């Protein structure tokens, strides 16, 4: 069984940050040579390798310190390239590709023989997505082959949504970051498994279950209602090992509480952690802010809340606070399902 190396890298490399518009040809040359390049996508920044080179793909796991059982997403230029490298790209996949590609929807289908097993952590399947960001599109076009890329952070950390975030995570470990500005979506792609019937959403994202239902209703009829989100169930964890519950997490101890619970949280802090420097993330504009406490406002608009969620978590994490407290927004479906999912993974339930 193939194993990813988890030891630290021997020599440091100099990491260049270049505007995506100017660095494409060099980035493609690095990828062709088996090196790694971080690049902007509309969801979060990716850490890319030529998906057809097993040694380059192994390097991703090493640089990220990613567990060997957590498969990568294969990025493609278009549907034609997806069909060329996958097997079993069926009618359902075609409908979803036509409706949501290029864009933040990843489909799990069969893995073709041109994609090495390392990409999928040994699974016979592969996750494939066509990104909409110009930088990603141009890089894929210049390389002429698919790019395997997980998020460009160290394993378990919050995903990067700017080139500066990537530099903070991976400086000295990769030669090049293609800066394409802040990511528009801000949370990782929706992942849907099409190798089971009915399909199942393994990770919620900005392409919502409601949108997928609408796209497939004509094809699947009432069976479409069976497509749900199971990212938090044990079943999905077994199916997709990277979906482990704790993920995307700040280093500072982070707790989530429910709307309306803040007064209890405050009383608990006063009693048990009176000296703790606390940062609170909440959709509510006002509310009691104690002496030692800082408030970061999360947007009450779903898309904006998602776009800035990781930036806000990184800010909260970077200022030396003792505790981060995040208010869980109410379950209003749509993109809130993804936001709640990421907050759950970033935090532990309060009270500890
Ligand atoms: P990341 O790009 O870091 O957000 O991680 C990609 C995620 O996609 C992984 O953590 C997996 O959960 C999921 N994924 C990738 N490939 C597969 C696959 N073949 N089957 C199921 N899930 C997958
Ligand atoms: Mg990731």
């Amino acid at each position: 069984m193939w194993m990813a190396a988890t030891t630290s890298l021997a020599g440091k490399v100099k990491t260049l940050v270049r505007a995506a518009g100017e660095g494409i040809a060099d980035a493609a040359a690095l990828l062709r040579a088996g090196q790694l390049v971080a690049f902007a996508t509309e969801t979060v920044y990716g850490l890319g390798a030529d998906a057809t080179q097993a040694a380059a793909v192994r390097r991703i796991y090493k640089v990220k310190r990613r567990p060997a059982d957590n498969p990568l997403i294969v990025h493609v230029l278009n549907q034609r390239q997806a069909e060329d490298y996958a097997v079993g790209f069926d009618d359902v996949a075609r409908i979803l590709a036509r409706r949501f590609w290029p864009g933040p929807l990843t489909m799990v289908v069969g893995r073709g023989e041109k994609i090495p097993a390392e990409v999928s952590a040994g699974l016979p399947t592969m996750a494939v997505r066509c990104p909409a960001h110009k930088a990603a599109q141009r890089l894929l076009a210049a390389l002429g082959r698919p790019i395997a890329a997980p998020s460009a952070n160290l394993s378990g950390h919050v995903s990067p949504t700017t080139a500066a975030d990537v530099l903070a995570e991976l400086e000295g470990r990769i030669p090049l970051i293609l800066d394409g500005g802040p990511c528009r979506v801000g949370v990782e792609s929706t992942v849907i498994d099409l190798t089971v019937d009915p399909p199942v959403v393994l990770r919620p994202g900005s392409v919502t279950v409601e949108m997928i239902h609408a796209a497939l209703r004509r094809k699947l009829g009432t069976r479409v209602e069976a497509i749900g989100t199971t990212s938090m169930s044990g079943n999905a964890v077994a199916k997709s090992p990277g979906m482990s519950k704790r993920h995307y997490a700040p280093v500072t101890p982070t707790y989530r509480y429910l709307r309306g619970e803040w007064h209890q949280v405050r009383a608990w802090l006063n009693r048990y952690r009176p000296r703790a420097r606390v940062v609170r993330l909440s959709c509510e504009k006002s509310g009691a802010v104690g002496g030692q406490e800082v408030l970061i406002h999360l947007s009450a608009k779903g898309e904006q809340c998602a776009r800035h969620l990781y930036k806000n978590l990184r800010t909260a994490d970077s200022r030396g606070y003792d505790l981060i407290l995040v208010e869980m927004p109410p379950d209003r479906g749509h993109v809130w399902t993804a936001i709640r999912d990421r907050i759950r993974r970033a935090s532990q339930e309060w009270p500890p």
Side-chain angles (χ1 to χ4, degrees):
M1 161 78 190
W2 163 83
M3 296 287 290
T6 51
T7 50
S8 65
L9 297 176
K12 277 206 162 193
V13 294
K14 176 149 178 57
T15 305
L16 292 180
V17 181
R18 296 183 62 186
E22 291 154 19
I24 297 292
D26 289 345
L30 282 166
L31 291 175
R32 229 171 264 124
Q35 300 290 318
L36 306 186
V37 173
F39 61 100
T41 84
E42 70 278 23
T43 56
V44 301
Y45 273 70
L47 177 62
D50 178 341
T52 65
Q53 296 186 42
V57 170
R58 280 199 291 269
R59 204 177 268 241
I60 292 180
Y61 289 86
K62 186 171 171 179
V63 162
K64 277 197 63 151
R65 303 193 191 115
R66 184 174 174 103
D69 65 356
N70 189 355
L72 312 177
I73 291 172
V74 175
H75 294 73
V76 291
L77 182 60
N78 50 35
Q79 185 182 328
R80 193 147 42 94
Q81 194 174 51
E83 297 202 30
D84 191 19
Y85 284 84
V87 291
F89 202 94
D90 61 7
D91 284 350
V92 169
R94 287 194 190 98
I95 291 168
L96 293 176
R98 264 201 300 279
R99 171 70 181 81
F100 297 111
W101 281 5
L105 179 70
T106 297
M107 301 189 233
V108 176
V109 293
R111 176 165 55 83
E113 56 190 20
K114 286 185 279 188
I115 298 294
E118 282 87 342
V119 169
S120 300
L123 295 169
T125 54
M126 74 186 241
V128 64
R129 149 169 135 82
C130 175
H133 197 291
K134 265 212 180 89
Q137 282 275 328
R138 292 185 54 205
L139 185 59
L140 283 159
L143 182 64
R145 289 197 286 265
I147 297 175
S151 51
N153 51 277
L154 295 176
S155 184
H157 283 190
V158 177
S159 298
T161 53
T162 65
D165 294 345
V166 180
L167 194 65
E169 292 275 325
L170 299 179
E171 182 164 24
R173 306 175 77 85
I174 56 171
L176 180 61
I177 300 169
L178 284 181
D179 185 352
C183 300
R184 177 175 55 81
V185 175
V187 293
E188 302 81 356
S189 60
T190 306
V191 179
I192 185 167
D193 185 357
L194 300 184
T195 67
V196 291
D197 186 25
V200 56
V201 174
L202 297 174
R203 177 171 76 184
S206 72
V207 170
T208 66
V209 175
E210 293 88 344
M211 289 157 73
I212 290 169
H213 284 180
L216 293 178
R217 191 170 299 280
R218 187 183 283 175
K219 173 80 183 166
L220 298 183
T222 52
R223 290 203 312 131
V224 85
E225 303 297 343
I227 301 175
T229 303
T230 64
S231 79
M232 296 313 288
S233 75
N235 207 7
V237 173
K239 180 89 198 172
S240 186
M243 300 289 167
S244 60
K245 277 193 180 173
R246 199 161 159 74
H247 204 64
Y248 318 108
V251 177
T252 310
T254 304
Y255 294 97
R256 62 180 177 275
Y257 64 94
L258 301 176
R259 182 164 290 183
E261 259 182 2
W262 180 246
H263 286 291
Q264 286 149 268
V265 177
R266 189 66 259 175
W268 179 88
L269 287 168
N270 290 343
R271 175 150 187 202
Y272 295 106
R273 303 292 303 272
R275 271 186 285 278
R277 296 179 63 245
V278 173
V279 54
R280 174 157 73 109
L281 281 71
S282 166
C283 289
E284 279 173 319
K285 276 226 169 76
S286 57
V289 178
Q292 308 251 50
E293 183 188 314
V294 169
L295 183 68
I296 294 180
H297 180 243
L298 301 177
S299 176
K301 293 192 176 129
E303 282 181 7
Q304 283 185 42
C305 184
R307 185 177 307 148
H308 300 301
L309 180 65
Y310 288 153
K311 185 194 74 185
N312 286 326
L313 282 173
R314 275 178 184 274
T315 302
D317 203 19
S318 66
R319 306 233 173 119
Y321 296 105
D322 300 310
L323 286 173
I324 301 174
L325 286 150
V326 190
E327 181 192 282
M328 190 62 131
D331 187 3
R332 279 173 277 174
H334 302 278
V335 74
W336 293 103
T337 307
I339 293 167
R340 286 164 53 87
D341 172 75
R342 300 311 189 277
I343 291 176
R344 242 182 253 119
R345 291 168 198 272
S347 63
Q348 293 165 271
E349 220 170 322
W350 178 87

